[in-house]
Every structure is written in structure tokens, then in C-alpha cells.
Amino acid sequence: MTDQAEVFDVIVIGAGPVGLNAAARAVRGGLTAAVIEERLAGGECEYYACIPSKALLWPMALAAEVNRMPGLELRGPIDTAAVLARRDETVSHLDDSHNVSWVKNLPATFVRGHGRLAGPRRVEVTAPDGGSRGLRARHAVVVATGSDPAIPDVPGLQQARPWTNREATEVQQVPKRLVAIGGGPVACEMSQALHSLGALATTVLVREDRLLARTEPFAGEMLVKSFQDNGIDVRLNRSAVRVERPVPGGPVTVHTDDGAQVDADGLQAEVVDDSMRATGIPDGWLYAVGDANGRNLLTHMGKYQARVCGDVIAARAKGLPDDAPGMRDTADGRGAPQVIFTEPQVCMVGRTESQARADGFPIRAVEYDIGTVAGAEVRGVGYTGRAKLVVDEDRRVLLGATFVAPDIDDLLHSATIAVNAEVPLDQLWHAVPPFPTVSEVWLRLLEEYGL
């Protein structure tokens, strides 16, 4: 790279939602910025993860809700072609021009190509045509490159060309037979979505003894029941040991550790501090946000980190103190909110009971049947769910909360506020939930605790 490099105050590598937020906050703080992206501006979340997966999941959830209400039962299957067409609309038909325009209107400079660190505050960009372009940052380089799916080290799996979230959310033809390896959020969401759209023989292989192993145990148990009730074959404590696909594009056979086999159809298709600055870097010019720092691989948490990061860079560039409220990442440490958009939904924030005990907190946990709340009873026949609070007994504040029920995601933000703001239970008692809503479960949980 020569000294003729273009100079910006901040260079952001990656134009996903995290990189875009970092650039926007830096520009809002009076700095110039360049944003580099090799693929689609908008990132994995917009085109191959959060947005398209929800476009595939909402019809399933809505159909389940309608079928719980007498008089509104569906008379036929979901129109798969219509759902896929709507999915294509939500991802702008994989056209990122609107995001490129958004960057330019910040205003910031958009650079198409592969960016790599080429020295302190220096980035080299290889353009799609093979040309190179040198950039230099006056103040900071932000790495917001996201992450790629990890494929398990199972003999034959890589050669069988398995689907990751990209192929699953971009699906154009739903396979009749589907095997999901793993019981985490992506496996659960996409197994259920594709099953509802026509994957009649759907099998989920889970090496743990439950789905969603990082959640409260009842969440995985309720989800297993929902899967089984809808014809999904869930095999717990089972691992894939070998995968065979003799003909490219042909059927796939998955061999499991109990000697069984399952067939599926084949279709073509670094450490940072609490300001997101990389530690151990002289002059502190390098920052990492989102999946790149490994703290919380969730879009909303990456965007939060990016806002903190952009504000801190702008403050430091002006010589201002950067220890003011809002200039440090506190949410990652207290627990990130997460929604798994299955049917029922699994919503959680903060620590589970087992995590809180492992961290040494003096805790008490309380649970309540969401289905017995008046607001739930009017939602239809068979509306069931479970809620749990984990309380720090010494400080009488919430350490975590979990809600499992249909269409319960909007209840999570109130729990996120309570956990992150450390609202005392005695004060939370006076936050009266409206009647009749499902949020009345808050009152019942606090009564279970003894308030």
C-alpha cells in the first residue's frame, strides 16, 4: 500500500447491520467514514438469517394461532409458493442498492470489495475486478465482518454439501425429506418452518438430552412436545457419525450412533474491552463489534455494541472523556435478550437458574403456567406456556427471565428492562400489567415470589 491511500477518520470493514450502525454513530459524531463490503450490504441478517427466516416462520405461527380459535380453523395447507414469494420481497430479491444508498446518504463512502488489515490504521481493499485500493484511518478501524456457519466434523458431511442457514432461508424448493443435525436455535427454527411448508419427513438429531440446551430445561421440553405433535421426529442423545451422498444432487443418507440411518432429499441449491476496542493494540486504533468479538452472536447485540463503539470513537477523536453513561457495554455482561421464533416461541434474557448458581449468586427461582392467565385463556383453545424468573435474593433484583408460549416475544422487552436496569422487585410490583393481557403473568410471578 502506498502513501497515496485515501484517508478517513474511521474505516469499517463489513456492511452488515453492525458495521452500518458503527459507521452511522461515527458520522453522527462528526467523523468521516468509509464502509467496505465484499458481499451484500445489509449482511447475513437481512438476506440469509433474521429477516427471511421470520418470513418463513410467521405463516406457521399465524396458522397455529388461527387453528386455536374456534370458527377460524384453516381449511387447507399453507400456500408454500406464496410464502416463498413474500420471503423474496422481504430480502429485496437479494438487491442491496437501498443499503448502498443509505451509506452514501449518511454521508459516508461505500467501497465494494474484500478488506484486509495491512498495518496500523491501514486497510487494503481488493475490488471484484481484482484491482486494489488503499485506505488509511486517522482514528480507528472497526472490524464488523460477522461470522460463517460452522459445519460439524462428521465424515462425509462436507462432501454432501449440507445446507447452512443460507441455503435453508433461500430455499426455492422444499425437500420432502429433511434431516437437521443439531438442536440449537437455527436448527429448531428452520426445521419447523420447512416442515410447515412441505418437508413431510423431518428428523432432528440432537446430541444433547434436550433441544435448546442453553435455555431453561422446560423450554426444550415444551418444544420437543410441539415438534412431536406436528409430526417432526426428534431424536435426543443421538449424533450423526457418517453421511453419504453417492450422486451429487441426489438423496442423502445420515448414519447415527445407534446404528440407524435417516434419508433426506438432495436439492441444488479477537478479545475486546467494554468499548469494543481490541486489547493489546498499540495506540488503541482497532475495534471489533458483533460476531467478530464473540461476545453475543445476536444481531441486536452486535448493533448495540456498534452504537457504543461509534460513540466512543467519536468522543476519543475529539479528546472528550469516553466514560460517560452509555459509553460502555453493560448489556452483554447482564445477559442478552434472545427470541427463538419457533411454535411456541422461546424468549429469554439474562441468566438461567443453572447459570446464576454457577456464577455464585444466592438465587430463588419462581415459575408460572402462562396458560392460566386470563389474557391467555381468551387467545384460543390450547394456548399453553410457561414463565420463569431468576431472582438475586440478596439484592432482590432479577437475574434472568424465560417465557415459552405462542406469540410471546413482545413480552420480553419488559424483562430486558427489569434485568438490565436492575429494577427492585418491590418497585416492579407497582408496574401494573393491563387486564386481560398475557403480560399479567408478571403479576402472578411476583405473587408466587411472595409480594
Side-chain angles (χ1 to χ4, degrees):
M1 185 182 298
T2 70
D3 289 335
Q4 300 303 314
E6 300 171 73
V7 181
F8 300 89
D9 291 328
V10 180
I11 299 171
V12 180
I13 304 176
V18 178
L20 295 179
N21 270 266
R25 299 295 281 211
V27 170
R28 191 180 82 160
L31 305 183
T32 61
V35 181
I36 303 165
E37 179 54 61
E38 180 180 17
R39 300 174 181 173
L40 291 172
E44 195 84 358
C45 176
E46 182 168 341
Y47 301 103
Y48 303 108
C50 314
I51 300 302
S53 66
K54 304 315 166 285
L56 298 175
L57 285 160
W58 281 124
M60 172 196 70
L62 183 58
E65 185 170 3
V66 168
N67 280 328
R68 279 191 292 270
M69 186 59 64
L72 295 181
E73 297 89 344
L74 292 182
R75 296 295 189 267
I78 294 174
D79 186 336
T80 300
V83 172
L84 297 183
R86 174 58 183 158
R87 182 275 319 273
D88 291 342
E89 292 178 357
T90 66
V91 298
S92 304
H93 299 277
L94 303 184
D95 179 358
D96 69 350
S97 58
H98 60 294
N99 284 319
V100 173
S101 296
W102 186 88
V103 171
K104 294 177 179 179
N105 289 332
L106 281 175
T109 298
F110 181 82
V111 181
R112 181 78 71 181
H114 177 78
R116 69 174 185 88
L117 295 173
R121 296 187 175 86
R122 290 181 175 269
V123 176
E124 183 174 337
V125 182
T126 302
D129 62 7
S132 63
R133 181 175 178 179
L135 309 179
R136 180 167 62 84
R138 293 188 184 92
H139 300 293
V141 175
V142 179
V143 178
T145 51
S147 59
D148 288 322
I151 297 177
D153 186 18
V154 176
L157 182 58
Q158 185 77 46
Q159 294 77 10
R161 301 186 65 182
W163 283 6
T164 66
N165 65 288
R166 283 180 159 246
E167 292 80 11
T169 57
E170 202 182 2
V171 61
Q172 297 299 319
Q173 180 183 350
V174 178
K176 295 301 181 185
R177 298 177 296 175
L178 174 72
V179 177
I181 299 177
V186 174
C188 289
E189 287 187 351
M190 297 316 301
S191 295
Q192 212 174 26
L194 294 176
H195 186 75
S196 74
L197 295 175
L200 302 179
T202 302
T203 304
V204 183
L205 303 177
V206 189
R207 63 184 177 185
E208 293 90 359
D209 61 358
R210 60 191 175 96
L211 293 173
L212 303 177
R214 297 183 180 180
T215 66
E216 295 286 1
F218 71 82
E221 293 166 3
M222 293 178 67
L223 200 54
V224 165
K225 183 178 186 307
S226 174
F227 275 31
Q228 293 173 338
D229 287 348
N230 287 279
I232 297 177
D233 181 6
V234 181
R235 303 188 185 183
L236 303 177
N237 298 304
R238 291 276 74 89
S239 296
V241 296
R242 188 171 82 257
V243 178
E244 297 173 344
R245 190 177 197 174
V247 180
V252 178
T253 298
V254 179
H255 297 265
T256 59
D257 55 357
D258 60 347
Q261 64 183 50
V262 189
D263 294 327
D265 292 318
L267 299 176
Q268 297 293 348
E270 178 168 348
V271 179
V272 296
D273 63 19
D274 58 7
S275 68
M276 300 301 116
R277 182 163 59 179
T279 58
I281 301 295
D283 301 325
W285 55 271
L286 183 63
Y287 297 73
V289 289
D291 288 7
N293 66 35
R295 287 193 169 195
N296 268 305
L297 277 65
L298 298 164
T299 297
H300 46 280
M301 296 308 295
K303 292 166 67 174
Y304 160 74
Q305 295 167 7
R307 294 191 292 270
V308 172
C309 177
D311 289 348
V312 167
I313 290 171
R316 287 172 175 162
K318 297 174 184 177
L320 301 174
D322 58 20
D323 57 356
M327 292 286 192
R328 286 292 180 273
D329 174 354
T330 60
D332 275 306
R334 291 194 178 125
Q338 182 177 10
V339 179
I340 302 167
F341 290 88
T342 46
E343 170 65 25
Q345 293 177 341
V346 178
C347 308
M348 53 200 169
V349 63
R351 294 171 172 86
T352 63
E353 179 179 355
S354 62
Q355 289 169 341
R357 291 190 188 281
D359 289 341
F361 288 95
I363 68 112
R364 179 182 166 200
V366 293
E367 298 185 29
Y368 198 81
D369 182 353
I370 297 177
T372 63
V373 175
E377 292 178 351
V378 299
R379 295 287 294 271
V381 178
Y383 185 102
T384 60
R386 194 82 185 159
K388 181 173 183 175
L389 299 182
V390 180
V391 180
D392 180 336
E393 285 283 76
D394 283 352
R395 296 182 298 150
R396 289 172 67 85
V397 298
L398 292 186
L399 295 173
T402 298
F403 304 95
V404 180
D407 195 26
I408 201 73
D409 53 322
D410 284 334
L411 197 59
L412 186 61
H413 192 56
S414 55
T416 303
I417 293 171
V419 169
N420 280 275
E422 297 187 326
V423 179
L425 293 189
D426 293 316
Q427 183 64 39
L428 196 58
W429 171 254
H430 295 286
V432 182
F435 180 88
T437 66
V438 179
S439 63
E440 196 181 15
V441 72
W442 277 104
L443 172 60
R444 304 304 170 213
L445 286 163
L446 293 174
E447 288 176 335
E448 286 290 310
Y449 182 76
L451 292 176

